[in-house]
Amino acid sequence: MNDCIFCKIVNKEISSNIIFEDSKVLAFKDIKPATKIHYLIIPKEHISTINDLQKDNQDFDSDIWSHMTKTCLDIAKNENFADFGYKLQVNCNPGGGQEVYHIHIHLLSEYSALN
């Protein structure tokens, strides 16, 4: 998708503060954090909304979805805030508050190493 900002981040056309990357997903710091920790986890493949994980009544693409959520857990554990607590947020379409049409999970926490 040529005009998708997240695709441009995946393709390294736009710089971002990447905290994790593998062959399927990319995780980076949100440029307008809503909490002390605010990361975005995105698939490298362009998928517009969570609704698009199921096309033409085919099975839900649980592989990419489970990989995205596992990445959230791994980041929370690796950055030592899993036990403190965190929230995962997914927005879908205008009524759900989605602003960028490339699925993403917001990983949010008020954790601070100084707590």
Side-chain angles (χ1 to χ4, degrees), residues 26-88:
L26 186 72
F28 54 94
K29 292 183 177 182
D30 193 295
I31 61 171
K32 294 180 186 174
T35 58
K36 290 180 184 177
I37 294 173
H38 189 167
Y39 302 146
L40 301 175
I41 293 76
I42 67 171
K44 287 188 169 182
E45 171 189 359
H46 181 86
I47 303 168
S48 295
T49 75
I50 194 167
N51 292 339
D52 296 313
L53 285 173
Q54 184 175 23
K55 287 286 195 185
D56 303 321
N57 295 319
Q58 299 297 314
D59 287 338
F60 183 82
D61 187 349
S62 60
D63 289 339
I64 191 63
W65 185 248
S66 64
H67 191 76
M68 290 172 68
T69 55
K70 170 103 171 43
T71 299
C72 292
L73 173 61
D74 290 345
I75 291 168
K77 284 182 176 180
N78 291 339
E79 295 200 9
N80 299 314
F81 63 88
D83 289 337
F84 174 83
Y86 58 95
K87 174 171 55 173
L88 304 181

